[in-house]
Amino acid sequence: MNQSQNSGNSTTEALGRSGQKQWRLLRRLFSPFWVIPALSCLVAFGVGVGLPELDKAVAEYVPFLFPAGPDGARALLSTIAGAMISVTGLVFSITIVVLQLASSQFSPRVLRNFLNERVPQVTLGVFAASFVYALTVMRDVSGTVGDSAEKVPQLAVALAFLLVLTSVAMFLAFIHHITQAISVDTIIRSVGQETLELYRKTQHAANDQDRTPAEMAADHRQHQRVVVASSAGYLNFVNFAGLLDLARKRDAEIELLYPLGTFLVPEQPIALVRIARPDPSVDWSDEVGDLITIAWRRSMDQDVTFGLRQLVDIAERALSPGINDPTTAVQVINELHIVLREIVADDPVPGPWRDQDGHMRLLTAQWGMQEYLDLCVDEIAHWGASSLQIPRRLVQMLAQLEQAAHDDNKEALQLKSTQIDIIERKASEA
């Protein structure tokens, strides 16, 4: 009975991991900005070729949706095609201007938020699809001057008119979205909410495991293998469940040497594998490397610190002499306060991951409370030391965080408050 139950649990876990892997792959495929517009054009071309053929089959059963003759249909379709390609260029130009503004005014790292948003992608897709569809249908408009409307693919031309109406609605939605998206309040709130949701999700996944603190590397596992990075880039994603299953399957213990968000260079050690009996047929570099993603730019797949870095960058840019906007920096501190409130309340020392039998299998490198505070406070405190608002708000934030903090985190908060006082004192003396 227990064996059957364990087998069922393993099957369920495998299906769950397979579903997560497929979902990540799907997200990765649709993440580039051009994918949705390109797919929209392909669909428009297919519909533009197929709908006129369907129109011929059902023409006698469909009333005249477009009463004009072939010349009128050609004029309408050519007008739609010309207008759509012009508006597509306008929307693309507006998008580029917004990206340049966001990069210079806030931070180059927030461009990811704009590029991942679906409204600009769908808008460009509808406009480009309307252009491709109009050109494709125009090929099937036959007849000359004086011919009746029976020579015109009625359904296809009517759909082109509906696409124009849809494009107008999408253009209005695009303008509304852009005016909201470039607002500093919206950007800060969006990054903060995404960071907070990611932390809650990753923390929930960690809490699902029995992670009682204990020492790794039992005495009988005397053999050690070093796994190195195959390429340069940031450590963006770790399949913890996959590593746990791999260690259990091979009767090994795996220790990750660096936390998420770390920049790695080729041949840099990233993991240690401790095993009892070496197996020459096992390539640990391939098996562990398949469960770790190293990319040339950081992402928010698992890396909470990347969201915090974006917020700090916005605050630093606001405090620069060229912008001098401490109020925006205070808004960033408010958002950091919300995220740190969740972090300080958690146990800062998670133990190793264990398998179903209670054996230690995986040890991960984690950010400590001191590192989180260094990232979120130090740079803002340095550049905002001469401001009246920044030191005052940072001290207030740290005091409130200390009231809600886990006992093991309070010392780090007290130390950071002392450092803020020293920075403020030096700034006032200068």
Side-chain angles (χ1 to χ4, degrees):
M1 181 67 179
N2 292 335
Q3 184 177 1
S4 175
Q5 184 177 0
N6 291 335
S7 176
N9 292 336
S10 301
T11 303
T12 303
E13 291 176 3
L15 291 175
R17 289 191 298 272
S18 176
Q20 292 176 0
K21 185 176 181 180
Q22 293 175 359
W23 173 247
R24 288 196 302 272
L25 178 61
L26 190 63
R27 283 185 58 189
R28 189 175 302 173
L29 290 175
F30 279 87
S31 60
F33 188 83
W34 56 268
V35 171
I36 290 182
L39 290 177
S40 301
C41 291
L42 290 176
V43 172
F45 178 77
V47 175
V49 171
L51 193 57
E53 298 299 324
L54 176 64
D55 199 295
K56 295 175 184 177
V58 300
E60 56 181 326
Y61 305 106
V62 178
F64 289 143
L65 300 176
F66 184 77
D71 283 347
R74 292 193 191 96
L76 176 64
L77 292 173
S78 62
T79 300
I80 291 174
M84 287 299 100
I85 197 63
S86 299
V87 178
T88 300
L90 174 63
V91 170
F92 185 76
S93 300
I94 293 175
T95 302
I96 294 299
V97 171
V98 170
L99 293 177
Q100 291 177 340
L101 176 63
S103 177
S104 60
Q105 189 76 14
F106 306 114
S107 168
R109 277 153 289 280
V110 302
L111 295 184
R112 175 192 59 87
N113 299 333
F114 292 98
L115 294 175
N116 290 342
E117 289 176 349
R118 296 305 182 192
V119 173
Q121 297 178 21
V122 173
T123 302
L124 283 173
V126 171
F127 289 166
S130 300
F131 168 74
V132 172
Y133 178 80
L135 289 181
T136 306
V137 172
M138 199 181 302
R139 298 165 49 254
D140 290 283
V141 178
S142 59
T144 59
V145 178
D147 287 338
S148 65
E150 295 178 355
K151 297 286 186 178
V152 177
Q154 301 289 328
L155 291 175
V157 176
L159 180 58
F161 182 72
L162 292 177
L163 283 175
V164 172
L165 297 180
T166 303
S167 299
V168 172
M170 288 303 304
F171 183 74
L172 296 177
F174 173 77
I175 295 299
H176 172 75
H177 174 77
I178 287 298
T179 56
Q180 297 294 321
I182 62 177
S183 168
V184 65
D185 301 321
T186 303
I187 294 174
I188 294 174
R189 187 59 175 167
S190 175
V191 176
Q193 284 294 312
E194 185 179 7
T195 304
L196 182 60
E197 291 174 5
L198 178 60
Y199 178 78
R200 288 173 174 171
K201 181 174 68 175
T202 54
Q203 187 65 22
H204 177 73
N207 289 339
D208 285 344
Q209 301 291 329
D210 179 10
R211 305 185 64 186
T212 305
E215 296 294 331
M216 290 284 287
D219 293 338
H220 66 282
R221 293 190 176 91
Q222 300 175 355
H223 300 276
Q224 182 171 281
R225 297 290 182 269
V226 179
V227 178
V228 299
S230 59
S231 61
Y234 293 96
L235 182 59
N236 275 345
F237 182 85
V238 176
N239 187 344
F240 296 107
L243 289 175
L244 188 65
D245 283 348
L246 175 63
R248 178 175 54 191
K249 176 183 176 182
R250 302 294 187 187
D251 189 22
E253 295 172 349
I254 301 175
E255 179 181 358
L256 296 180
L257 301 178
Y258 301 101
L260 288 160
T262 302
F263 184 80
L264 305 170
V265 297
E267 304 302 320
Q268 179 177 350
I270 58 176
L272 297 178
V273 181
R274 302 181 181 93
I275 51 180
R277 295 178 300 277
D279 186 351
S281 64
V282 178
D283 189 338
W284 285 102
S285 295
D286 287 343
E287 297 209 10
V288 174
D290 290 342
L291 300 171
I292 295 176
T293 300
I294 299 176
W296 64 275
R297 65 178 179 182
R298 298 178 73 175
S299 72
M300 290 285 287
D301 290 337
Q302 287 182 326
D303 187 7
V304 174
T305 59
F306 183 48
L308 299 176
R309 166 50 60 191
Q310 293 179 68
L311 291 172
V312 172
D313 285 351
I314 295 173
E316 285 189 281
R317 191 64 61 92
L319 293 172
S320 64
I323 298 178
N324 192 23
D325 182 12
T327 302
T328 295
V330 170
Q331 288 182 275
V332 171
I333 297 173
N334 294 339
E335 204 64 40
L336 289 171
H337 190 174
I338 297 174
V339 180
L340 288 174
R341 173 63 178 77
E342 295 274 339
I343 297 176
V344 299
D346 291 328
D347 187 349
V349 188
W353 297 62
R354 298 174 178 272
D355 60 16
Q356 295 176 346
D357 298 325
H359 298 141
M360 296 175 292
R361 296 299 183 187
L362 177 63
L363 181 64
T364 59
Q366 301 289 335
W367 279 62
M369 193 66 247
Q370 190 64 54
E371 286 79 10
Y372 278 118
L373 293 176
D374 290 344
L375 171 61
C376 296
V377 176
D378 285 3
E379 297 175 36
I380 299 177
H382 173 74
W383 297 110
S386 59
S387 170
L388 295 176
Q389 300 183 58
I390 303 303
R392 184 186 307 162
R393 182 65 186 94
L394 287 174
V395 170
Q396 182 186 41
M397 178 187 74
L398 292 172
Q400 293 177 356
L401 288 175
E402 187 177 349
Q403 295 176 359
H406 189 280
D407 290 340
D408 293 337
N409 291 327
K410 290 185 178 181
E411 183 178 354
L413 290 165
Q414 293 169 357
L415 177 61
K416 188 57 63 178
S417 297
T418 304
Q419 293 174 352
I420 297 299
D421 292 337
I422 295 174
I423 293 174
E424 184 180 11
R425 191 180 307 113
K426 289 182 178 180
S428 61
E429 291 174 357

